[in-house]
Amino acid sequence: AGGALPSVRTRNTGCGPSDSDALSVGTLTSGVCSTYNGTSWTNTGSMGTARYRGGSSGNTSSAITYGGSTYPGVNNVAVTEDFDGSTWSSNPATMGTARYAFGYSGSTTGALASTGYTGSMTGVTEEYNRSSTAFTPATWAALPNLGTARYGIGMGYVDNANTLGGMCVGSAPYRSGLTENYDGSSW
């Protein structure tokens, strides 16, 4: 067990490559962000758009957060924001489908967001890419939809040598063990 978060949270998102380099991002009512160093959590800058149940990828010094829903009510957003270790800033990349409770995984240069809730369950899959050149902005691009629409899933993502692969497990509200694999071109 590590240190407790500085504040109680629900419906937040998180990311990080290890137990000493992790983030907790957003809550039902705030855009609070906290970093974890393996021992304790520290609050840092809040997101520009407070939201819950979006996606996050990266680590404590460089991360992105995307999608989610604002409170009160369910107001899905498609915005992406960048984190530099202390502050959040607007990112020009906008998701094609605003949604929350989707599966997500990846890094600050390549991420995958699949399924979610738009008012109904969806199988939409999108890939985030950020070029290493300043001339090519970050973008979200549509990929083939999952075979079974759902939300609240667990997800893994691999992007080795430009070969995209992923796995999606589970479903809500039915809590099935349904698994689909992505081979870079289809689910």
Side-chain angles (χ1 to χ4, degrees):
L5 282 163
S7 58
V8 176
R9 300 181 189 174
T10 182
R11 301 178 187 167
N12 57 320
T13 181
C15 62
S18 71
D19 61 3
S20 62
D21 186 5
L23 261 85
S24 169
V25 183
T27 71
L28 183 61
T29 58
S30 85
V32 66
C33 175
S34 301
T35 59
Y36 187 68
N37 64 11
T39 305
S40 63
W41 291 93
T42 303
N43 280 347
T44 61
S46 291
M47 293 182 291
T49 301
R51 58 201 129 142
Y52 64 95
R53 294 185 79 181
S56 295
S57 301
N59 57 46
T60 57
S61 61
S62 178
I64 58 172
T65 192
Y66 38 94
S69 184
T70 60
Y71 184 83
V74 177
N75 302 296
N76 295 335
V77 296
V79 298
T80 302
E81 293 184 47
D82 293 314
F83 181 67
D84 67 6
S86 61
T87 59
W88 289 93
S89 61
S90 180
N91 180 311
T94 301
M95 298 178 79
T97 301
R99 61 194 187 276
Y100 75 100
F102 51 87
Y104 62 91
S105 189
S107 68
T108 57
T109 58
L112 198 63
S114 190
T115 72
Y117 198 78
T118 61
S120 62
M121 290 186 287
T122 182
V124 169
T125 301
E126 295 179 69
E127 180 184 19
Y128 174 84
N129 283 301
R130 173 179 276 158
S131 173
S132 60
T133 69
F135 303 109
T136 306
T139 60
W140 283 95
L143 295 176
N145 287 355
L146 250 70
T148 302
R150 53 195 130 156
Y151 70 98
I153 65 168
M155 190 164 167
Y157 171 77
V158 179
D159 187 5
N160 295 327
N162 297 320
T163 302
L164 177 67
M167 185 172 85
C168 170
V169 181
S171 172
Y174 311 111
R175 291 172 180 51
S176 76
L178 180 65
T179 301
E180 293 185 53
N181 293 301
Y182 186 70
D183 64 10
S185 60
S186 63
W187 286 99

